[in-house]
Every structure is written in structure tokens, then in C-alpha cells.
Amino acid sequence: MASLVEAEELDARDPLASRRELFIGSDDPSVSAYLDGNSLGRPLRASAARLASFASDAWGSRLIRGWDEEWFDLPLSLGDRIGAITLGAAAGQVAVGDSTTVLLYKLIRAAVDARPGRTEIVVDTDNFPTDRYLVEGIAAERGLELRWIESDTRGGVSPAELEAVVGAKTALVLLSHVAYRSGFLADVPALTAIAHDSGALVLWDVCHSVASVPIELDEWGVDIAVGCTYKYLNGGPGSPAFVYVRRDLQNQLSQPIQGWMGHAAPFDMGPGYSPAPGMRRFLSGTPSIVGMQALRDMVDLIAEVGMEAIRAKSETLTRFAVEAVDDWPASWAVELATPREAERRGSHVTIEHPAFKQITAELWRRGVIPDFRAPHGMRLGLSPLSTSHVELWNGLEAVREQLVRL
Ligand SMILES: *Cc1c(COP(=O)(O)O)cnc(C)c1O
């Protein structure tokens, strides 16, 4: 039986437990359980200090000189650091900029244009909405067809399902590493190899895995990946996304938003667009330097503790959540909508019950914050560095109390 005592013991044995105090809000009595760090990570205390000093020093005092001193290169230098610490990417393959949606648009367009004569994009029906909406628009724009994999909303895309739809017509396969709804963890090397066997490119959306699941983009032979920084990278609401493009592909790709910041010589301000070599060509306009500040502290913290320790904690947390839900009476009919094996899921657990919409609203009023996903999924997002087992237990108890009353 999962219990408060067990949660306390797990916290006592957790080598990352003391890191929780580094986050603002971890001692806020009005929020007894924050279970939505997979939508918006908590701020680090170091980030509050960094943002304040950024305003007074880097921006307020260095002024326009900041561009020459650091900011012009920050999309690439911070990209390299995210790549080295969280993506298994050698330097020169990651850039930070735009939102995930805009980067996905740019890279999907670039990828399909790099496979002329191929007329199909493969995508799954349970991929994140923005991914699905983007390919609808791009297919219309470029006269392409969509091949949908009907994926299981409690699981994800299997190698056999992908094998059944890819072929000589496939230009691009667009998949998510961790399914935003079910938490299913896709087999990136196997699925990437299947797409490559048919001559297609693959774009991995790593929004829900980066900084919670170890990623080895270079080793896995990934072509392109895009991810968020405001979830497990704690960059703050709307912090910019990042893109990885494998080195040998970079100069073969042309992205459609041809802005001056991606130009080979932006300050010549000359006629005609000529893309910069390497990752800079994937930038468009002036990057959000303010938006890049907070996530630097989280990347430093991850570098210190390592992705292996983060993954180990994440598995302990999700196992404890599943165990606690399993203890609830079968007559409540709460269903697990996440793979049962810890190694087949990311860092959130989704449970389903018809009353979860109303229950989630009540919990939010009481300072217990999971996420609701229509039609009746409750997502328990477990951010390994900022969530404790006792916090998770408190949240699960609050859900249980609501269910008892039904
Ligand atoms: C959060 C998330 C996004 C969000 O894209 P934005 O442009 O930042 O709104 C995209 N894809 C996945 C898989 C996500 O989890």
C-alpha cells in the first residue's frame, strides 16, 4: 500500500530531495501539491535574481553593447549548452529561438522541401494539437497529403504502426518523444531507423521529454528535433524553444521565414537573402534574450546533478503515483491512461474518470494543481527536481477525498 510513511521514506532516500528548496514556491503553504510542472515549471530562486540583475546590469547598463558582448551569439551558445546537457548533441547543432510552434513550422517546411517528389507527411492522431494543425496547413500550402497513424490515446506509436504507413512517398515523419496525453515514451532509435529505411526525414518533438528523460539525438541518428523550454527546463511562461538539426543536414535545409538574423551577413544589410551556414540559418528575427535568461539556471542545475539522476527520480515518482492509484477501490472506476512499465513512460501519469473536470477545478481552488485534459483525463506532472514524494502524496490524497464524496 502506498502511504504517507512510504512517501516520507522515498524522500529521505532521494539524492535530489534537497534541490527542491532551490525553487520558488516549494515552501508556499497555499499550494500543497504542484503537479503541473510539465506544463509550466516552477522558477528557480537563482532565476529571480538573474532576471533582476539582467534588467539592471546587462540591459540597463551595457545597453546596445550587449548584442556584441553576448546576445548575438546567445541563441547558439545556449543551444550548445542545452544540447550537451540534455540532448546528447555535439556543439553546433542546436539553436534557441521562436516558439515551438514557429520552429516546428519552419523545420517541417524545410524538411518537406528537402525531399522533392515525395508527397506525404506521416503524423499520428494523438500528436500534440499544434503539430497536427501545422501539418494540415503545410500540406495545403505545399500540395502534400497527410498519412495519419491512429494512435492509442493511452499509448503511442509503435514500430509496426509506423512501418505500415511509411514508403517511397513519405517526405517526413513527425512524432513526439513523450506523448503529451498518455506519457508514452516512444522508441526513437527504432522509429527513426524505420523512417530512414524509406528515405524519409524524421522530426521529433521533444517538448515533453527534454530535461526529464535522457535523450541521445546524435547517437540515435535523429535528423531534426524541436522542444520547449518552459516545461521541464523551467524557462518561464513563453520562454523560447530550441531546434536541433544534425550537422550534415543543416546546409541542405532552407527554412521559409527568411529574416535578417538568419542571413550570412546580417549587418551588411545588403540586397537579397543568403542564409548563414550552419545553425544560424534557422533563426529569423531578433531573438528573445530576456526569454532565454531563466532557463540558463535550470540547465546549470541539470548539469550539476545529471540526467541519469533526474530520470531515476522521475521513475520513482511515477511508480509511486501508479501504486497509489492502484490502491483506490475498483468500484471508483478510475483508469490508468499511461503505460504501466516505468521505462515506457515519461514523467507524467494520466488517470481518467468522468468527474475529473469538476474535481480538477475544485482542487485548483484548494491549491492542489494537476492538469485536466479533455474528455476526462487528469495529468499528474512530476517534475523530478521540484516535486517531492510527500507533495505527490498530498495531491493524490486530495484527489481521493474528492472521489470519496461522489
Ligand atoms: C507544450 C507542447 C507544445 C507547445 O508549443 P508552443 O508553441 O510552445 O505553444 C508543442 N508540442 C508538444 C508535444 C508540447 O508538449
Side-chain angles (χ1 to χ4, degrees):
M1 287 282 270
S3 64
L4 176 59
V5 172
E6 190 194 344
E8 286 168 347
E9 282 167 7
L10 288 169
D11 281 343
R13 283 202 301 271
D14 169 16
L16 299 182
S18 65
R19 311 294 175 155
R20 186 167 178 272
E21 291 160 25
L22 300 173
F23 293 87
I24 293 177
S26 54
D27 52 358
D28 174 0
S30 75
V31 177
S32 57
Y34 185 53
L35 304 177
D36 218 344
N38 60 323
S39 280
L40 179 66
R42 285 184 187 275
L44 277 163
R45 295 185 199 283
S47 299
R50 183 192 289 273
L51 289 168
S53 78
F54 179 81
S56 58
D57 305 340
W59 174 15
S61 158
R62 300 313 299 159
L63 296 165
I64 193 79
R65 294 172 292 186
W67 283 107
D68 289 341
E69 291 166 1
E70 184 182 46
W71 306 333
F72 186 71
D73 287 325
L74 192 59
L76 304 180
S77 60
L78 183 57
D80 280 350
R81 195 142 163 80
I82 293 172
I85 307 238
T86 66
L87 301 174
Q93 302 178 102
V94 180
V96 180
D98 306 313
S99 65
T100 296
T101 299
V102 172
L103 281 181
L104 282 170
Y105 175 78
K106 285 157 68 164
L107 273 296
I108 295 167
R109 272 284 309 264
V112 297
D113 289 354
R115 287 291 178 275
R118 290 178 173 246
T119 55
E120 293 180 355
I121 301 174
V122 170
V123 61
D124 67 296
T125 50
D126 204 39
N127 208 332
F128 192 84
T130 217
D131 302 60
R132 290 182 279 114
Y133 304 156
L134 283 167
V135 289
E136 277 179 29
I138 291 169
E141 222 170 50
R142 305 310 265 178
L144 303 171
E145 275 175 50
L146 300 180
R147 285 293 297 270
W148 293 98
I149 298 171
E150 298 278 339
S151 53
D152 176 2
T153 56
R154 294 182 174 187
V157 176
S158 69
E161 286 172 319
L162 181 60
E163 227 150 33
V165 296
V166 288
K169 290 188 189 165
T170 315
L172 176 72
V173 175
L174 173 64
L175 295 170
S176 281
H177 186 196
V178 166
Y180 81 102
R181 198 195 299 266
S182 71
F184 175 89
L185 180 62
D187 185 343
V188 177
L191 293 164
T192 300
I194 290 166
H196 286 173
D197 284 347
S198 74
L201 291 169
V202 196
L203 197 167
W204 283 99
D205 183 330
V206 297
C207 281
H208 250 88
S209 57
V210 66
S212 70
V213 177
I215 298 176
E216 295 294 344
L217 296 178
D218 286 353
E219 193 185 311
W220 295 343
V222 166
D223 302 309
I224 306 164
V226 171
C228 289
T229 63
Y230 53 81
K231 293 173 179 172
Y232 298 106
L233 278 167
N234 304 56
S239 61
F242 60 83
V243 56
Y244 162 95
V245 182
R246 204 181 62 229
R247 187 181 309 280
D248 62 290
L249 262 182
Q250 291 167 11
N251 294 343
Q252 299 171 33
L253 298 185
S254 308
Q255 57 100 349
I257 305 183
Q258 302 185 163
W260 73 303
M261 280 283 167
H263 194 279
F267 298 103
D268 288 359
M269 309 208 163
Y273 178 76
S274 157
M279 285 308 292
R280 186 170 287 282
R281 67 176 48 207
F282 301 106
L283 304 183
S284 294
T286 303
S288 174
I289 301 301
V290 178
M292 291 178 204
Q293 296 309 313
L295 73 108
R296 301 170 83 167
D297 300 298
M298 190 61 175
V299 174
D300 288 350
L301 177 57
I302 297 169
E304 207 182 307
V305 302
M307 279 307 306
E308 293 307 321
I310 288 173
R311 176 62 175 164
K313 168 95 180 267
S314 162
E315 290 189 7
T316 313
L317 285 164
T318 60
R319 263 195 216 103
F320 185 71
V322 170
E323 206 185 302
V325 171
D326 279 348
D327 289 341
W328 293 347
S331 61
W332 291 359
V334 172
E335 293 180 31
L336 182 69
T338 294
R340 266 200 174 271
E341 309 76 22
E343 58 286 357
R344 294 188 56 226
R345 61 181 178 240
S347 205
H348 68 272
V349 169
T350 302
I351 50 181
E352 291 178 342
H353 188 280
F356 276 161
K357 184 171 189 172
Q358 145 214 341
I359 287 180
T360 305
E362 174 57 23
L363 292 173
W364 278 39
R365 279 190 287 276
R366 295 178 41 191
V368 170
I369 310 181
D371 204 359
F372 174 73
R373 280 290 172 269
H376 34 240
M378 182 185 283
R379 268 191 340 186
L380 309 168
L382 308 169
S383 194
L385 286 162
S386 62
T387 313
S388 71
H389 298 87
V390 168
E391 179 180 15
L392 170 58
W393 173 257
N394 291 340
L396 290 163
E397 277 296 280
V399 178
R400 197 180 61 80
E401 281 161 22
Q402 296 293 321
L403 286 164
V404 169
R405 289 192 203 160
L406 291 179

